[in-house]
Amino acid sequence: MDGLNVSIAFFFLVVGVCQALTWLSKRLLSSGTHGCLAKEFAGSFQLCTSCLELRMLMEIGPWGGGFGLDVVLTLLFLLSAVHGASSDGAFANPTVCLQEFLLLESSLAATVAKLLAQGVGAGTGWAVTRLYWSWELTQLHFIQNLITPECSSSIHTALPHAAFVEGSCTFLFHLVLLKVRQSHPLYRVPALAATVTFLTYTAGPFTGAFFNPALATATTFHCSGNSFWDYIQVYWLGPLAGMLVALLLFQGNIPRIFQKNLLYSQKSKYKVPKAKVTAQVEGDKPQRKRKGGKSNSEPRA
């Protein structure tokens, strides 16, 4: 279990470094630069390093470390929750940035800046993790350092099925995100962490269950077994299609493209009471009539 303890310490160190970077960027940079560049860079760096270390534990841990999949999934849930609670609003996912752009919540320049920051952050996370593995602090890292140059593709199924799997994972993730994004973090963070854990457990054996194009590009595009265009179809086009379908199903339209709601009718939230027409005699109160058409008269003495 010494290897697992070293990995947990590495997770804590990465989270601490990313939190320090976020704090410094708030102090030194403008709010726009901090939101578009620093947060997304730190979030992508943290997500990529954590994902690579978890994948190493998932692949080597059962036979090299003596612990099972339940330990890795528990770590995945906890790290996803920590990422959601500490990312300061940065999801470090290109499909989420594009969703915000399509919802008119982000400009084109800000979206492009976020995408670039995510790519640089994920690439830096991959390089730092490779350097960390090269130190061979544990037997797990020694084995990982040996097999890293000969890594194989994470696609273990037919190409159309792999693209469908990544698109379906992205579809479900974005549906949950759209549902809970305005909720209190106490509910939003565990819901998203549980969704990520479930999707990884379900779809991991087929494609690795990235449903994050930047993360997949940094971690698996350099591996042998599939062409660059194959990776683009599975890890970029599949998630983008899943995000668009989720947004259209949830909203009924895509605001950046068209305003008209294609799926749901727009009904007013307020009911307008129907006006009651009453016939009144000018200057007098309405009088009740008896049956037979006779009007009321004063009683005779």
Side-chain angles (χ1 to χ4, degrees):
M1 297 296 287
D2 292 339
L4 183 61
N5 293 332
V6 172
S7 295
I8 292 175
F10 175 71
F11 293 141
F12 276 110
L13 178 62
V14 168
V15 172
V17 170
C18 291
Q19 286 301 297
L21 178 62
T22 303
W23 181 81
L24 285 175
S25 65
K26 281 185 178 180
R27 295 277 182 168
L28 303 177
L29 302 177
S30 63
S31 59
T33 306
H34 167 72
C36 293
L37 299 177
K39 286 197 306 182
E40 293 296 338
F41 173 85
S44 296
F45 177 84
Q46 177 178 326
L47 190 64
C48 185
T49 52
S50 301
C51 176
L52 287 170
E53 187 72 2
L54 274 175
R55 283 170 59 84
M56 184 272 298
L57 294 177
M58 185 178 296
E59 294 174 356
I60 305 176
W63 56 272
F67 51 87
L69 184 62
D70 55 338
V71 175
V72 180
L73 291 176
T74 302
L75 286 174
L76 175 61
F77 175 81
L78 294 175
L79 288 172
S80 299
V82 169
H83 175 74
S86 63
S87 59
D88 195 18
F91 282 92
N93 191 329
T95 59
V96 177
C97 288
L98 293 174
Q99 174 185 285
E100 293 177 347
F101 174 72
L102 294 175
L103 287 173
L104 305 177
E105 297 175 354
S106 178
S107 64
L108 179 61
T111 302
V112 173
K114 289 179 181 180
L115 293 176
L116 292 175
Q118 289 170 1
V120 175
T124 306
W126 176 81
V128 169
T129 308
R130 287 284 302 272
L131 176 63
Y132 160 69
W133 286 342
S134 68
W135 295 342
E136 299 180 357
L137 299 178
T138 67
Q139 184 180 3
L140 299 178
H141 295 141
F142 172 75
I143 299 172
Q144 179 64 38
N145 197 39
L146 290 177
I147 65 177
T148 294
E150 303 297 331
C151 69
S152 58
S153 171
S154 298
I155 302 175
H156 302 296
T157 184
L159 201 64
H161 183 234
F164 175 78
V165 168
E166 284 292 311
S168 300
C169 289
T170 308
F171 169 77
L172 294 173
F173 174 76
H174 277 267
L175 276 185
V176 175
L177 175 62
L178 288 166
K179 183 66 177 178
V180 304
R181 63 180 184 147
Q182 301 297 337
S183 303
H184 192 276
L186 186 63
Y187 306 105
R188 183 180 69 251
V189 171
L192 292 175
T195 302
V196 170
T197 304
F198 169 76
L199 293 176
T200 303
Y201 172 74
T202 305
F206 301 104
T207 61
F210 291 100
F211 49 94
N212 184 327
L215 182 62
T217 302
T219 57
T220 196
F221 271 42
H222 63 281
C223 294
S224 60
N226 288 94
S227 66
F228 179 79
W229 176 240
D230 292 342
Y231 289 129
I232 289 292
Q233 293 181 70
V234 174
Y235 295 116
W236 276 91
L237 298 184
L240 287 175
M243 180 271 293
L244 290 174
V245 175
L247 183 58
L248 184 61
L249 183 63
F250 187 85
Q251 290 280 124
N253 68 333
I254 300 178
R256 179 69 66 174
I257 301 176
F258 44 81
Q259 296 291 334
K260 184 179 179 181
N261 198 307
L262 303 178
L263 301 180
Y264 312 113
S265 60
Q266 299 288 342
K267 293 184 179 181
S268 177
K269 296 181 180 179
Y270 306 100
K271 293 183 178 180
V272 180
K274 296 181 180 179
K276 295 182 179 180
V277 181
T278 57
Q280 295 186 352
V281 180
E282 295 182 0
D284 296 326
K285 295 181 179 180
Q287 298 178 349
R288 295 181 181 176
K289 294 184 178 182
R290 296 179 180 177
K291 294 182 180 180
K294 293 183 182 180
S295 60
N296 292 334
S297 59
E298 294 181 358
R300 295 180 181 179

